[in-house]
Amino acid sequence: MRLGNTVNNLSPGEPLQIGHYRVLSRLGRGGMGTVYLGQAPDGQRVAIKVINPEYTQHEQFRMRFRREADAARRVRRFCTAAVLDAALDGEQLYVVTEFVPGPNLEEAVRSDGPLRGSSLDALAVGVATALTAIHGAGIVHRDLKPSNVLLSPVGPRVIDFGIARALDTLSGVTGTGEVIGTPRYMAPEVLRGEPVSPACDVFSWGCLVAFAASGRAPFGGEALHAVLYQVLNTEPVLEGLEPGLRELVGYAMDKDPGRRPTAQQLLDHMVGRSAAPEQAAHSVQTVWQQSPPTPHTTAQWTESAPAGSPGSTVPAGPAGPAAHPGHTVPGAAPTRPGYAPPAGPPAHTVPAAHLGQTGQTGPLGQADRHGQTGPASARPQGDTRASGPGPRHGAPAASVRRKKLIAGAVVAAVVAVAGGVGGYVALRSGGPPDDLSLLYQDDFIQSGTGWSGGGYDPATVKYGYAPEGYYAVDVTGDDPVHRETAPVPFVVAPPATPDPSATPTPVIPDRLLLGVSLGVRNGSSGVGESGLFCRGDDDYKATRYEFLVDTTGKARIRRTVKSAGGDLGEPVQLDLPKGEPVRLQAECSGSGEGVRLTMWVNGEQTHSLLDSSPLPAGEVGMIARVGEKSGAVLKASFDNFTMHGPASAKKP
């Protein structure tokens, strides 16, 4: 759809007012609903996506739509169309985003031809930047494709992120048998019905960049079965890409999700070093405005454009072969051993001394007033971000020029403070890692999934599954702490005498990324806190690491041994939106040096520290607390609990 269209094309029966917004025109229709151009009371133009009625009649869809819309509102505004408002109750569900003038990528390429040079580079970096922001909020886009990237005057903007997950409750298929999504831009594991992860978006990023460079989707075929066969079994056709970018796109489109780079690694590789999304977004805007897209049109591209729009909904049908399995397609990506970033930075990046004023650094390990730091060697122990694969020797000069595109976005804000347990490090650039596999998840829509308590009743049962689709916990000064162990399918340690006839249960891995959405319900008063814990042992007195956010917006990490302990590092005061849930993520990563504990709130890192006297492996879960014998009351809600870890942890 072209979001620059402002013609009043409304049909009889279409709304003239949606909530507080006056409807100006219809922008387009898609698998989930209709998008309108609207005007807010203050005159701001907005895009309003109204969900189709056949979905809103399903209560589980509505519950998941509500949490996904809430999560989308937490995504930082880096190369995305910000979510401004949402109607999460009532008969009509809709999401309001900022209006982005300009065509989408599909329209632009089909009208004017493929992108080239710095325009293509800016697109690739901009979309990767958007994915780091989206993944940092705990969301998977799930439907990244050319029609969901808008080419605005200030750079590419990604839209429609996360909302498609609500269709999981309907098995992703409409009542008419149509697959919701665009198969030629979907990862193989999604087509096979496997769990969705951020790696799916990375695959779609590769497909999208390949389309922008050539005007063709990397997997051909007109019928659904032909497209499915190509995505599942053949290598993509990558044309119009410079060697360095072509290699990175090839890695992103590996059939095995575990071998793909993360969105942050894509960004790091294209920038040259660890890149903060805000710096990358600023640089993309600068390049985009200095050198707007200059598509390159060729008669060959115009004549051979594939039939069918990449953004269309394709009727479902059986999968089957569309080409001889042994046929080699000219221009196809080469077979590769998988993505393995080198230890050092890419050899063709621009030295920091060439970055200008905003790239200058202070003393090693200290940030200057621009938030810049010393070289990558100053990263703290446990920082697992990689710079991405370097080019093959002899890469052409064009590849080197491409690397200079976003050189000014290099940032690795590291502030090391000695003292306390291990070393306290604040790493406020960079979101949670997205190179881990989903090991366990519960969104509490269904009760009886292994957590203690049954149905929550505020009058008689102080914890349990709430009818609204979250886990509720009430604590007071008389009963000040409630700890809820997650029923994950892992054991803390293997049995001393294992039964040789039994299937072994996997042991909980040393590296974990936990996540949960926290809320404070009506009836709360005073100061309380809620969050996550790892390495827990509450046999008699509590031993665990706690990651906590209190009702005043203060975040802290706490270590307790037999119920005695205290904060690790200084608490951080956050400016959190009032009355909205927050997404808390916590990483517990063991190594020979100890255990690194890192905490993010709404995708922003608040703490990272190393405990050189680590607690032993233990349970994980959720916790709520108020002061003992205080008059405080905390009615906490927990939603969408997740646990990520190494893919190998799934195997006993």
Side-chain angles (χ1 to χ4, degrees):
M1 74 188 66
R2 181 177 294 274
L3 291 193
N5 180 15
T6 59
V7 176
N8 187 339
N9 56 0
L10 298 175
S11 302
E14 289 193 285
L16 300 178
Q17 187 84 17
I18 298 176
H20 301 295
Y21 307 93
R22 184 165 68 93
V23 177
L24 303 177
S25 67
R26 183 188 342 103
L27 296 173
R29 287 192 176 97
M32 285 189 67
T34 303
V35 183
Y36 296 98
L37 175 65
Q39 187 175 48
D42 62 1
Q44 178 186 6
R45 290 196 170 188
V46 296
I48 310 167
K49 184 164 189 174
V50 180
I51 305 302
N52 288 337
E54 61 264 31
Y55 299 137
T56 61
Q57 63 184 334
H58 296 275
E59 185 57 31
Q60 286 192 340
F61 173 90
R62 298 173 68 91
M63 292 167 60
R64 182 157 287 176
F65 174 83
R66 183 181 300 114
R67 67 168 49 91
E68 292 301 311
D70 281 339
R73 296 167 80 170
R74 297 195 301 270
V75 174
R76 295 178 290 174
R77 302 183 181 189
F78 302 136
C79 300
T80 64
V83 176
L84 306 175
D85 191 9
L88 307 179
D89 298 294
E91 293 185 4
Q92 188 179 59
L93 302 183
Y94 60 86
V95 176
V96 180
T97 67
E98 63 177 327
F99 173 69
V100 180
N104 64 49
L105 177 62
E106 180 186 345
E107 292 172 331
V109 171
R110 297 216 178 280
S111 172
D112 300 315
L115 303 186
R116 292 287 186 265
S118 61
S119 296
L120 180 61
D121 293 330
L123 175 80
V125 174
V127 176
T129 301
L131 289 182
T132 62
I134 292 167
H135 295 168
I139 298 175
V140 178
H141 190 298
R142 303 171 62 91
D143 196 21
L144 183 63
K145 57 189 177 183
S147 60
N148 277 339
V149 176
L150 305 179
L151 305 187
S152 81
V154 295
R157 292 289 183 269
V158 174
I159 63 173
D160 271 4
F161 41 85
I163 304 302
R165 183 172 184 255
L167 288 172
D168 282 354
T169 58
L170 308 179
S171 301
V173 180
T174 69
T176 59
E178 292 179 325
V179 177
I180 300 299
T182 311
R184 68 176 79 248
Y185 292 96
M186 295 167 67
E189 63 269 23
V190 178
L191 299 179
R192 290 193 294 263
E194 297 173 4
V196 171
S197 72
C200 303
D201 289 345
V202 170
F203 185 93
S204 300
W205 173 89
C207 294
L208 183 144
V209 174
F211 169 80
S214 66
R216 304 181 183 88
F219 298 103
E222 298 182 13
L224 177 64
H225 68 273
V227 173
L228 295 180
Y229 178 84
Q230 297 264 355
V231 175
L232 292 170
N233 299 288
T234 69
E235 292 294 336
V237 177
L238 306 179
E239 298 175 343
L241 294 165
E242 294 175 357
L245 185 55
R246 181 178 184 273
E247 183 177 32
L248 189 61
V249 168
Y251 280 127
M253 297 180 69
D254 196 296
K255 304 295 187 189
D256 181 353
R259 289 153 55 102
R260 297 173 201 149
T262 66
Q264 183 66 55
Q265 287 173 329
L266 291 175
L267 188 58
D268 291 348
H269 176 62
M270 290 183 288
V271 169
R273 284 167 49 187
S274 294
E278 57 269 31
Q279 296 290 334
H282 174 74
S283 298
V284 167
Q285 178 176 337
T286 300
V287 171
W288 195 266
Q289 292 177 319
Q290 290 176 350
S291 178
T294 53
H296 177 71
T297 306
T298 64
Q300 179 183 8
W301 167 80
T302 304
E303 294 170 0
S304 58
S309 167
S312 61
T313 303
V314 185
H324 193 284
H327 178 65
T328 302
V329 181
T335 303
R336 54 200 174 277
Y339 181 78
H348 57 298
T349 57
V350 181
H354 296 170
L355 298 181
Q357 181 64 31
T358 58
Q360 302 305 312
T361 63
L364 182 65
Q366 296 182 353
D368 71 359
R369 63 189 179 91
H370 298 287
Q372 309 302 314
T373 67
S377 59
R379 295 178 190 168
Q381 174 72 25
D383 188 347
T384 59
R385 293 172 295 176
S387 297
R392 295 191 178 101
H393 293 295
S399 178
V400 178
R401 288 195 299 271
R402 183 175 66 81
K403 288 298 178 180
K404 297 180 182 179
L405 168 68
I406 314 294
V410 176
V411 61
V414 180
V415 180
V417 180
V421 180
Y424 172 75
V425 182
L427 298 170
R428 303 192 190 280
S429 65
D434 56 5
D435 59 339
L436 299 173
S437 297
L438 182 63
L439 304 180
Y440 175 82
Q441 181 175 23
D442 196 342
D443 58 14
F444 304 109
I445 288 180
Q446 300 289 341
S447 61
T449 55
W451 301 80
S452 65
Y456 168 75
D457 183 341
T460 59
V461 181
K462 299 304 181 183
Y463 59 91
Y465 298 86
E468 294 81 6
Y470 56 81
Y471 193 88
V473 173
D474 296 350
V475 288
T476 65
D478 294 329
D479 187 10
V481 182
H482 183 85
R483 162 192 174 276
E484 190 63 36
T485 300
V488 297
F490 295 85
V491 295
V492 172
T497 55
D499 181 355
S501 63
T503 301
T505 302
V507 176
I508 198 163
D510 284 335
R511 185 187 179 200
L512 291 173
L513 176 66
L514 305 176
V516 73
S517 296
L518 304 173
V520 178
R521 295 176 286 118
N522 291 336
S524 299
S525 62
V527 178
E529 59 185 357
S530 58
L532 297 162
F533 70 84
C534 69
R535 301 204 172 204
D537 179 7
D538 277 26
D539 186 35
Y540 174 58
K541 293 186 177 181
T543 295
R544 58 188 172 234
Y545 294 115
E546 300 173 352
F547 304 81
L548 302 164
V549 180
D550 74 13
T551 50
T552 70
K554 188 176 295 182
R556 65 174 180 148
I557 299 179
R558 185 170 181 265
R559 180 184 193 266
T560 67
V561 178
K562 296 183 178 180
S563 298
D567 293 346
L568 298 180
E570 292 294 325
V572 174
Q573 184 65 51
L574 304 174
D575 183 15
L576 299 176
K578 300 295 184 183
E580 295 185 13
V582 300
R583 183 68 182 173
L584 170 64
Q585 290 168 281
E587 183 175 11
C588 303
S589 183
S591 69
E593 301 295 324
V595 60
R596 180 159 291 281
L597 306 166
T598 311
M599 179 176 178
W600 296 265
V601 178
N602 288 347
E604 295 282 353
Q605 190 175 92
T606 63
H607 299 80
S608 183
L609 56 93
L610 178 69
D611 185 357
S612 57
S613 301
L615 300 178
E619 299 167 332
V620 300
M622 311 179 302
I623 187 170
R625 175 190 289 115
V626 296
E628 187 175 4
K629 303 302 181 183
S630 71
V633 175
L634 175 62
K635 292 180 176 292
S637 66
F638 299 87
D639 202 357
N640 196 25
F641 179 92
T642 57
M643 185 176 86
H644 290 76
S648 58
K650 297 179 180 180
K651 302 175 182 179

